[in-house]
Structures are given as C-alpha cells and as structure tokens.
Amino acid sequence: MKPIITLVFLALLSCTSTTKMPEQTFSPGKQIAFSRDKGNCLACHAIEDGESPGNIGPALKNLSTRFKNKQQLREQIWDATQFNPETSMPPFGINKILSENEIDQVVDYLWGLK
C-alpha cells in the first residue's frame, strides 16, 4: 500500500507548478526613495510604481530634461534651499537625512526614470 501512496503523491507533486513568481527587486536608490524612514520622496512626488504619491512637488520622471546633469540633480536633493529659499523640500544632505552614498543612489535611480 505504501508504494501506491508514494506513487500517487509523486504523481500529484509532478502536476503542481514549480514556477516561482518573480520577486520584486528594488534598486538601492528606489528603496531609499520609497522608504518612509529615509528619502520618502513619495510623500511629495509621484514616482513610477509608487503607491499613494503626494502632489506637492513635480512628478519625478524625465529628470534629464529638467536638470543639466546628474550633479545638478544631486545638488537639488542635497540642499534645495540653495536654489529656492522658500522650498518645502528638505535639505537631505545638509540635514544628514541621507548620507552622501544614499543621495548618490537616489540620484542614479531617479535619473533613469522615463
């Protein structure tokens, strides 16, 4: 009886799908931008794939058309008050909300959004 049960079990097992759903992977920059404990860019900006975005700031897409280069975008994130003293955007670098490395990762992620 055990061999028959084993055969039935193996037959049923072979009929089940072994395909795994792909895990959603985020780049480090995207993780920081979406994290409420870090960048929290979604609090003010719409970003591709972001849930419940804010509308205080502009949508974060096609940034290469709004900034001359990645360095200019980095400077905006580091301290937006240098360009607009009345901005509501926090100075992520000056206030040490994000490290220099984290800002670089966010810039790399945002620069690639279309």
Side-chain angles (χ1 to χ4, degrees):
M1 185 71 170
K2 282 188 178 182
I4 293 174
I5 292 173
T6 302
L7 286 174
V8 171
F9 176 74
L10 290 174
L12 289 172
L13 187 61
S14 68
C15 294
T16 62
S17 173
T18 58
T19 305
K20 291 183 179 179
M21 293 297 290
E23 292 182 21
Q24 192 171 17
T25 57
F26 289 158
S27 70
K30 186 173 184 176
Q31 289 176 353
I32 295 165
F34 280 38
S35 171
R36 292 182 190 265
D37 296 332
K38 282 290 188 176
N40 200 17
C41 301
L42 284 169
C44 299
H45 301 278
I47 305 175
E48 177 182 79
D49 297 335
E51 294 182 14
S52 303
N55 61 1
I56 295 169
L60 297 180
K61 62 181 181 179
N62 298 318
L63 295 178
S64 62
T65 63
R66 292 187 13 225
F67 295 94
K68 293 178 188 174
N69 51 44
K70 288 170 75 171
Q71 181 60 34
Q72 191 180 40
L73 173 59
R74 187 185 193 287
E75 291 169 4
Q76 177 75 20
I77 296 169
W78 182 264
D79 180 12
T81 63
Q82 65 183 325
F83 305 106
N84 176 4
E86 302 299 317
T87 186
S88 58
M89 183 166 168
F92 288 95
I94 295 292
N95 287 348
K96 298 182 181 178
I97 298 167
L98 298 176
S99 70
E100 290 199 35
N101 185 47
E102 289 170 327
I103 290 176
D104 290 339
Q105 291 172 331
V106 170
V107 168
D108 287 341
Y109 163 65
L110 294 176
W111 194 256
L113 296 177
K114 300 296 176 203

